[in-house]
Each structure stands twice: as structure tokens, then as C-alpha cells.
Amino acid sequence: MSPHSAPDAAAYLSGRWDIERTVCDLRTGTEGSFRGTAEFRPDPAGEGLLHVEEGQLRWGAAVHPASRTLRLRPRPDGTAEIGFADGRPFHDLDLRTGRWRAVHPCAEDRYEGTFTVTAADTWYLEWRVGGPAKDQLLRSAYRRLG
């Protein structure tokens, strides 16, 4: 996949997206999936966007509702700071070249993310999580909704 430049991360991500995600526990070989939507909308708490994902997580025979909320704080140069809903920092985001690698230490585990913008309406995110508590691979495809 060839990267597509997104000079302003907040402007590019703003709106609603369809998500298809695969989740693989590399230790057990167990696979699951998430299907839902992401919305990047104005954050009522201040400048920036709320990133709200909602959908269904299928893990084995079980299906559960799943959601998460992140905060995107844009910077003047088109990059952004991503934080958790409670305000803790998560990672930086720079989509100006269409590709970005982020790292987030979480206790003794390490999250390594690769963001790839491939078109005006499509981007991909892969998280590799490794450490004593987790050994996972999460692959997500985002497609803009009308």
C-alpha cells in the first residue's frame, strides 16, 4: 500500500468511519474481530476532536459490545497529540507523509502502531503489542462513511 499524504491529521480524520479489525492473540492462536464505527467529532471539553469507536467484538463464540474514546489535540503544523479519555498521553500522530509509527509503553508491555493513509477515504492501523501480559496483533481498516 502506497501512502497518501494527509497534511492536517485532524482535518483528515474528522467525520465518521467504518472499522473492520482483526485481533489475534499470538500466544494462544485465538482470533477475534471488531466491527463498528469511529467518529472524530468536536471535543466539548476543549480544542480538538473526540475519537469515539463503538461496535461489536467477536472473540471465539462470544460477542460483546465494545467501545473506546480517545482525544485528538491538533498542533499548528498538522500533527496531533493523541490522549486517552482521562487525559493521559497515548502517542503523537503525524500523517503528513501518509505513514506514521507510534510507540506507547503500557506497564511492562509495549504498543507499536503503524498508521498508513492510502486514500482520501481509507487508512489502516496495525498495533503490535508485546510484553509479559500480552502478545497481540491488531489490524484495522477504516473507510469513510458518507
Side-chain angles (χ1 to χ4, degrees):
M1 289 178 281
S2 168
H4 173 85
S5 176
D8 182 327
Y12 174 76
L13 294 170
S14 189
R16 289 180 45 85
W17 301 81
D18 175 70
I19 309 168
E20 290 185 35
R21 177 175 298 139
T22 59
V23 182
C24 184
D25 184 320
L26 300 173
R27 287 192 180 134
T28 65
T30 307
E31 292 190 10
S33 63
F34 173 86
R35 176 86 191 199
T37 59
E39 183 175 9
F40 292 82
R41 62 180 182 240
D43 185 346
E47 288 185 34
L49 301 173
L50 280 183
H51 168 186
V52 179
E53 290 189 2
E54 297 176 318
Q56 300 246 330
L57 175 66
R58 182 176 305 276
W59 193 253
V63 178
H64 304 280
S67 64
R68 74 172 178 172
T69 301
L70 299 171
R71 288 196 150 82
L72 184 149
R73 292 178 196 90
R75 297 183 180 126
D77 64 359
T79 66
E81 175 188 335
I82 308 299
F84 293 103
D86 64 8
R88 290 175 299 128
F90 188 12
H91 62 83
D92 289 332
L93 183 62
D94 181 351
L95 300 176
R96 294 176 295 185
T97 66
R99 185 162 288 151
W100 180 250
R101 295 185 68 89
V103 174
H104 173 75
C106 183
E108 294 183 36
D109 293 331
R110 179 181 169 94
Y111 286 67
E112 295 181 14
T114 303
F115 296 75
T116 306
V117 176
T118 58
D121 297 325
T122 310
W123 61 284
Y124 297 88
L125 172 56
E126 179 176 295
W127 283 106
R128 176 70 171 87
V129 187
K134 296 180 181 173
D135 191 7
Q136 299 176 335
L137 181 61
L138 296 86
R139 289 186 171 136
S140 304
Y142 291 79
R143 288 178 179 77
R144 190 178 302 278
L145 293 169

